[in-house]
Amino acid sequence: MSLAPDITECLARARTDLRLGVPVVLAAHGGGALVLAAETLTPARLAEVQGLPGTADLALTARRAETLKARPYDGDLARLPLPKGAETSWVRALADPADDLRHPMKGPLMARRDGEAALHRIALKLAKTARLLPAALLLPLDAPEAFARNWNLTLLAADDAALHLDRFSPMRPVVSARLPIEVSEAGRLHIFRPEDGGEEHYAVEIGRPARDTPVLARLHSACFTGDVLGSLKCDCGPQLHAALAQMGQEGAGVLLYLNQEGRGIGLANKMRAYSLQDQGFDTVEANHRLGFEDDERDFRLGAELLDRLGFSSVRLLTNNPRKIAMMEKNGIDVVDRVALKVGENAHNRGYLATKASKSGHLL
Ligand SMILES: Nc1nc2c(ncn2[C@@H]2O[C@H](COP(=O)(O)OP(=O)(O)OP(=O)(O)O)[C@@H](O)[C@H]2O)c(=O)[nH]1
Ligand SMILES: [Zn+2]
């Protein structure tokens, strides 16, 4: 047992560093890279990078690259060499689609074909899991360990980082307590905390659901705008309340409140997507223009929490077939799908139609 942080803990530190604008260092066999998140890049740090030997690359996801008409030669990402004397505004304009329509001509952008993209891939995953824009600046380093030590930067072994970024973090129960709520006086709230320092997630148990029969269950992804503010742009608020009400009526159920805001891109990025939707893009196109996939959520989480609570089979309240498939794949038997069609209005009609036509939601 060592007092030093392990790779999971170093990854958590790295995410915090990137959110602050502090660079991190990736070490690979025979070299490495300095990584800075595009969203938090400052002119001072960019100038430091430009004063170092070598040329930095801006790594963008293939989704963002396609919008910018840059070739994603690496398949899932593109590497764009930082032009000499480029300012943070160049990086920002490529990373953030806010001004795409006002200033469409950003290119021609010549993506790199030579060299390796493994470190760039790790950097983009780090930026995504830090809930930042998925774009990062990488400068090759000959001696990453010495560089990190010299500048007091978080150092990550690239192989370990790649492995752990794809791994699902175990969830630990923290506490549970009685919580009488409107739909049922017999409510109980459980708090779970992931070992990787990520967001906590919650489970609301209604009544005393038996563990040996299928439980009425809802996997609800956090939506601050819908759940709390009553936003009319989506159906989340009405779905949350209808699910709880049905559990109250039946006297038993479990609602998982998963902190995967904005289908896993975070609230700031969701608001960026809303801003793009005001420019005429639908919910899926907006995610793509930002550089994200349609849905960045990991539903292994829901299965893990149900398992932790002792449930192995559910009647799932959802219109999303992916949720059903992920439950089945991860050992939870979905004996029934219970449709949850509530809250359609003039503002969210297009959004619901897009979810049905592009994301396969059941009507
Ligand atoms: N990125 C993005 N996320 C959105 C948008 N509108 C709503 N969301 C998020 O979408 C998620 C909706 O989650 P769920 O309620 O689980 O909905 P679902 O996947 O459609 O599945 P069911 O409701 O079970 O049918 C929440 O995390 C919302 O914050 C949007 O336009 N863009
Ligand atoms: Zn919502």
Side-chain angles (χ1 to χ4, degrees):
M1 177 70 188
S2 155
L3 288 179
D6 65 16
I7 181 65
T8 309
E9 293 155 346
C10 287
L11 282 167
R13 273 193 183 173
R15 289 187 192 97
T16 303
D17 289 348
L18 293 176
R19 286 183 66 88
L20 288 169
V22 178
V24 302
V25 174
L26 291 172
H29 305 294
L34 179 70
V35 178
L36 299 99
E39 179 170 345
T40 51
L41 182 68
T42 60
R45 285 211 164 95
L46 178 60
E48 283 290 337
V49 169
Q50 284 164 325
L52 293 166
T55 304
D57 284 341
L58 179 64
L60 297 174
T61 65
R63 292 289 188 196
R64 181 71 190 132
E66 276 155 22
T67 300
L68 294 166
K69 311 243 174 322
R71 291 270 181 85
Y73 290 118
D74 302 302
D76 55 343
L77 64 89
R79 292 169 289 143
L80 303 174
L82 183 73
K84 276 216 162 14
E87 297 181 9
T88 48
S89 55
W90 183 86
V91 174
R92 183 78 198 194
L94 295 187
D96 188 342
D99 284 335
D100 278 359
L101 294 191
R102 224 172 336 138
H103 306 291
M105 274 313 290
K106 300 195 168 76
L109 298 165
M110 304 307 284
R112 233 185 248 289
R113 298 179 88 135
D114 59 314
E116 266 291 318
L119 301 183
H120 302 72
R121 193 160 291 120
I122 294 171
L124 289 177
K125 274 193 189 148
L126 269 174
K128 273 190 184 181
T129 53
R131 304 280 182 261
L132 294 167
L133 284 167
L137 205 60
L138 283 92
L139 180 76
L141 298 174
D142 291 334
E145 287 87 358
F147 191 95
R149 214 175 313 119
N150 189 33
W151 291 94
N152 195 19
L153 300 175
T154 300
L155 176 71
L156 300 168
D159 287 353
D160 281 359
L163 204 68
H164 280 78
L165 279 167
D166 281 335
R167 225 172 245 179
F168 178 71
S169 173
M171 304 291 302
R172 296 274 170 250
V174 180
V175 63
S176 83
R178 200 176 63 80
L179 184 74
I181 56 178
E182 243 169 42
V183 299
S184 166
E185 289 188 7
R188 191 162 194 88
L189 182 64
H190 303 255
I191 308 297
F192 291 90
R193 188 175 293 163
E195 283 183 1
D196 67 359
E199 297 267 12
E200 291 179 355
H201 305 281
Y202 322 130
V204 187
E205 213 178 332
I206 302 291
R208 296 273 173 276
R211 273 27 183 192
D212 55 359
T213 48
V215 62
L216 182 63
R218 164 93 185 136
L219 270 63
H220 190 86
S221 299
C223 178
F224 171 71
T225 47
D227 300 340
V228 179
L229 303 179
S231 159
L232 298 174
K233 273 181 72 74
C234 59
D235 55 347
C236 303
Q239 282 189 322
L240 173 66
H241 296 111
L244 286 172
Q246 188 166 342
M247 290 173 194
Q249 275 155 20
E250 293 193 13
V254 61
L255 182 134
L256 304 184
Y257 194 88
L258 308 173
N259 277 311
Q260 307 169 313
E261 176 64 64
R263 296 198 294 273
I265 67 175
L267 186 57
N269 284 322
K270 183 173 99 171
M271 288 306 102
R272 293 187 172 113
Y274 275 11
S275 176
L276 293 173
Q277 289 169 33
D278 282 342
Q279 296 178 28
F281 300 105
D282 70 30
T283 182
V284 169
E285 291 162 346
N287 261 38
H288 291 178
R289 289 189 82 85
L290 280 161
F292 293 106
E293 297 304 316
D294 316 12
D295 194 335
E296 296 273 356
R297 289 175 289 183
D298 188 342
F299 282 120
R300 285 179 289 184
L301 175 59
E304 157 99 359
L305 294 187
L306 286 170
D307 185 53
R308 288 242 158 219
L309 290 162
F311 298 108
S312 57
S313 86
V314 295
R315 290 160 53 224
L316 196 63
L317 278 154
T318 188
N319 309 318
N320 183 349
R322 269 196 64 224
K323 285 187 185 174
I324 301 171
M326 285 304 284
M327 287 301 101
E328 297 278 3
K329 199 172 153 204
N330 289 286
I332 301 288
D333 191 18
V334 181
V335 298
D336 195 11
R337 175 183 82 91
V338 184
L340 195 54
K341 288 269 319 164
V342 283
E344 184 167 335
N345 66 59
H347 297 272
N348 67 15
R349 204 153 286 142
Y351 166 74
L352 296 175
T354 303
K355 289 220 292 190
S357 64
K358 292 193 176 177
S359 311
H361 277 61
L362 305 160
L363 293 170

